[in-house]
Amino acid sequence: MNLVQLIGEPWDEYGLVDSGGGRKLERYGDYRFIRPEPQAMWAPASEDWDAHGEFVPGSDEEGGGRWRFDKPTPEGGWPLAWDDVRFTAQTTPFRHLGFFPDMAPVWSWMREQVADLDAPSCMNLFGYTGVGTCAMAARGAEMVHVDASKKSVEAARANAALSGLEDAPVRWLVDDAVKFTAREVRRGRRYDGILLDPPKYGRGPGKEVWQLEQGLPGLIADCRKLLDQDSRFLFLTVYAVRMSALAIGELVRQAFADLGGTVEAGELGVREEARGLALPTAIFARWSR
């Protein structure tokens, strides 16, 4: 199993401007924001951070906190773009801004895996606001987008509309990702690729409880059953847990041992503009044909 890094580079409408002292300064189009970042243990390049707002974390380990704004910021969000995909950025109660910029190299990688297929069939589990779904649909993929949050799926559909993908072949599903995947296995379905970004903890629309450490092995096993010798990829990201890339890489390696192909694991990160250093953000494991 190979250990690799996927580092997101800045683009016109997003960049990690500076980081350090447990915080990071990012630009989202015309707006700049400061957010907590425990992994930025080094000193920042500059002490003078000019931002529109900052997320002030709560005192407990489980999160919480609030945004403090120093300059006017659109309450309803504002449009951004990555490549040929448009979407809305917006400050959320969960400290992020409606998408995960470190996923940009993942979106590019998934496109590469199916570039030679006509209308590949792919699934985005825990799909959130759908930027990954739109990235694939914009290149002709037939997508199944699953998230337990009705609000997130509505935001994903709105992002698809911004990208001119209202009529793209996307199934938008408000459903429990684990239960839906199990049903797809029973139906005998197959996919060319699967992206999954499970949370540490969550609840489905029927109050189903999800805990990553307990639920992930079974979910990966079911995802394997939806992929076959002609499938191209599975990409798993894991955020905010005390877990190793080696651990999830071994989980995927064992599940996909009979399919051959390549299993890699490692870290996602974002390139800082000030000094070019890489800020780690998450761990991942992936299988590809």
Side-chain angles (χ1 to χ4, degrees), residues 1 60 178 271:
M1 179 175 59
D60 60 282
V178 175
R271 184 84 61 199

Side-chain angles (χ1 to χ4, degrees), residues 68-116:
R68 187 194 72 225
F69 297 100
D70 298 316
K71 299 180 183 180
T73 305
E75 290 186 11
W78 58 99
L80 290 184
W82 173 82
D83 198 57
D84 52 355
V85 176
R86 294 188 65 79
F87 52 92
T88 295
Q90 184 176 13
T91 54
T92 74
F94 311 105
R95 81 176 59 192
H96 51 74
L97 284 97
F99 76 105
F100 298 100
D102 57 342
M103 290 294 290
V106 180
W107 305 328
S108 296
W109 181 84
M110 291 191 301
R111 284 177 163 185
E112 292 168 2
Q113 304 312 304
V114 297
D116 63 328

Side-chain angles (χ1 to χ4, degrees), residues 1 21 24 43 61-62 74 77 81 97 117-118 147 165 172 184 192-193 202 211 215-216 220 223 238 254 277 282:
M1 179 175 59
K24 58 186 175 183
E61 231 181 67
E62 294 304 312
L97 284 97
L117 298 179
D118 293 326
D147 199 284
L165 298 169
W172 304 102
E184 290 289 86
D192 292 303
Q211 290 183 307
L216 187 58
I220 292 296
C223 286
V238 174
Q254 290 188 18
L277 58 80

